[in-house]
């Protein structure tokens, strides 16, 4: 049985709409118009034990709302979901003791206290035995190299240090399912790398099931073999990341270096020029034509080196979102 099962999960918010001015405010006291906004629209997927799945979508796509429903913070409008066999929004204690949620833009640690004080509070909340607490804390502190900052007020720490401590706080009770919502947002590239390495190692060693949302494709490409993509609340992809590129990328990139300078016009006849400086160029060509075009370039130009590459996952996803946006605009115009 999958650890997480989601079937036609839907969440609609009703936002009040008020007329401008004092008169509108008075009328709103007696009669208020509301606008329905569907944040998550009939989403369905399964996640198995130990999987680390990327959950992607543009801003406002419904990612965080979905995570909040799966952790029991938000009630769905319709649909069903189970996590570890529990219905999340019933908020049963055994369920809550087996999950954890880390949100990169929200803190669970007390701002004016050292993290070590918050850890003690969490130990009591989750009823973690003393010996297990000490061992788990010691292991996590060593892995994340934060021993020197445990006694420092959280507000005095760097963003990277705070995020490491937030991860420790989320893992003190050894959850079976971990939800990570933008855990590397705002971090420098070094801190991002360290957080990714920790999450990857923890997933492998503990077999914890993890759902990760991130706008940084480095996070997704380094950590996730599989991705679920939603756009305007609807799921548009659920498969391996490599399959995403092959399914939605209809072009490849030819990167060439030349032994002598060439003219721009000589390069343009072979495909769409992405980059060109006279002695090197990058061509975008149809996937099925890439080998033929490469052979033609080799025969016609003084090529010193050539590589054929797939489009990057970030570019493929961006194109997918743009195509969906264009389709919606055309539908509304009609």
């Amino acid at each position: 049985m999958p650890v997480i099962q989601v079937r036609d999960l839907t969440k609609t918010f009703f936002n009040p709409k008020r007329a401008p001015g004092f008169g509108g405010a008075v009328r709103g006291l007696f009669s208020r118009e509301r606008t329905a906004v569907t944040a998550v629209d009939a989403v369905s997927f399964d996640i198995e034990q130990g999987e680390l799945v990327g959950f992607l979508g543009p801003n406002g796509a419904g990612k965080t709302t979905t995570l909040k429903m799966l952790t029991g913070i938000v009630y769905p409008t319709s649909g069903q979901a189970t996590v570890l066999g529990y219905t999340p929004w019933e908020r049963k204690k055994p369920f809550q003791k087996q999950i954890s949620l880390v949100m990169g833009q929200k803190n669970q640690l007390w701002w004016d206290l050292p993290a070590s004080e918050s850890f003690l509070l969490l130990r009591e909340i989750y009823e973690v035995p003393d010996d297990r607490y000490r061992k788990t804390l010691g292991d996590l502190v060593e892995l994340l190299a934060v021993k020197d900052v445990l006694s420092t007020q959280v507000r005095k720490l760097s963003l990277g240090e705070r995020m490491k401590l937030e991860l420790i706080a989320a893992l003190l009770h050894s959850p079976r399912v971990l939800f990570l919502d933008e855990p590397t947002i705002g971090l420098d590239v070094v801190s991002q790398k360290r957080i990714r390495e920790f999450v990857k190692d923890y997933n492998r060693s503990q077999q914890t099931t993890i759902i990760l949302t991130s706008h940084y494709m480095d996070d997704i490409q380094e950590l996730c073999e599989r991705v679920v993509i939603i756009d305007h609340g609807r799921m548009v992809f659920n498969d391996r990341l490599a399959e995403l590129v092959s399914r939605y990328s209809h072009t490849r990139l030819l990167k060439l270096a030349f032994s002598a300078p060439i003219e721009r016009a000589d390069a343009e006849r072979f495909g769409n020029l992405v980059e060109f400086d006279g002695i090197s160029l990058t061509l975008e060509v149809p996937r099925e034509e890439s080998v033929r075009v490469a052979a033609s370039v080799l025969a016609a130009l003084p090529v010193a080196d050539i590589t054929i590459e797939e489009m990057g996952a970030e570019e493929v996803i961006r194109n997918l979102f743009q195509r969906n946006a264009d389709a919606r605009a055309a539908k509304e115009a009609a």
Side-chain angles (χ1 to χ4, degrees), residues 25-274:
V26 173
R27 287 193 297 274
L29 295 175
F30 303 96
S31 177
R32 181 170 295 183
E33 181 182 352
R34 297 194 303 169
T35 303
V37 178
T38 301
V40 179
D41 189 0
V43 168
S44 300
F45 58 84
D46 292 342
I47 297 179
E48 302 291 339
Q49 171 70 37
E51 276 197 281
L52 202 170
V53 177
F55 199 51
L56 308 180
N59 289 330
K63 303 185 300 298
T64 299
T65 299
T66 302
L67 294 195
K68 287 181 176 179
M69 286 190 284
L70 294 180
T71 52
I73 297 173
V74 170
Y75 282 75
T77 303
S78 63
Q80 298 178 333
T82 59
V83 179
L84 298 168
Y86 296 92
T87 300
W89 43 91
E90 292 178 353
R91 301 177 183 175
K92 293 183 177 179
K93 189 174 181 179
F95 163 72
Q96 293 177 323
K97 292 177 72 172
Q98 297 183 78
I99 68 162
S100 198
L101 170 65
V102 177
M103 304 182 74
Q105 301 186 63
K106 294 183 182 294
N107 298 322
Q108 65 173 322
L109 298 174
W110 286 75
W111 192 247
D112 291 313
L113 294 177
S116 57
E117 298 292 327
S118 293
F119 294 162
L120 290 172
L121 176 61
L122 290 168
R123 182 192 66 181
E124 296 299 324
I125 291 173
Y126 287 102
E127 300 175 338
V128 182
D130 286 349
D131 54 346
R132 198 180 91 187
Y133 167 78
R134 287 192 294 270
K135 183 179 188 310
T136 302
L137 178 60
D139 291 344
L140 293 172
V141 166
E142 182 178 354
L143 285 170
L144 288 166
V146 290
K147 182 177 180 180
D148 294 340
V149 299
L150 289 178
S151 300
T152 304
Q153 287 177 299
V154 170
R155 62 183 175 86
K156 294 181 179 180
L157 301 175
S158 69
L159 183 58
E161 291 169 336
R162 290 204 303 271
M163 182 48 61
K164 291 178 183 179
L165 294 172
E166 290 285 347
L167 282 170
I168 292 176
L171 298 173
L172 280 173
H173 60 291
S174 303
R176 292 177 58 193
V177 180
L178 176 62
F179 299 92
L180 297 176
D181 189 23
E182 301 283 357
T184 60
I185 190 168
L187 301 184
D188 61 76
V189 292
V190 175
S191 296
Q192 288 178 19
K193 181 70 173 175
R194 288 174 179 167
I195 295 295
R196 286 197 297 268
E197 290 174 347
F198 171 77
V199 171
K200 181 189 294 184
D201 291 342
Y202 190 86
N203 170 250
R204 289 176 177 173
S205 62
Q206 303 299 318
Q207 282 297 292
T208 303
T209 304
I210 300 176
I211 296 183
L212 167 69
T213 77
S214 180
H215 285 296
Y216 298 122
M217 280 308 299
D218 284 347
D219 291 351
I220 302 301
Q221 290 177 298
E222 187 169 331
L223 295 174
C224 307
E225 290 188 3
R226 175 183 160 209
V227 294
V228 174
I229 302 178
I230 63 173
D231 189 10
H232 278 68
R234 296 193 66 86
M235 190 171 71
V236 297
F237 183 83
N238 177 15
D239 209 328
R240 296 173 62 250
L241 184 59
E243 178 64 20
L244 171 72
V245 175
S246 63
R247 186 183 305 179
Y248 291 102
S249 175
H250 304 297
T251 61
R252 283 177 170 165
L253 298 176
L254 269 63
K255 297 189 174 183
L256 303 107
F258 303 102
S259 57
I262 66 168
E263 297 295 327
R264 186 182 187 89
D266 292 333
E268 288 177 333
R269 59 194 176 98
F270 292 103
N272 178 40
L273 263 64
V274 178

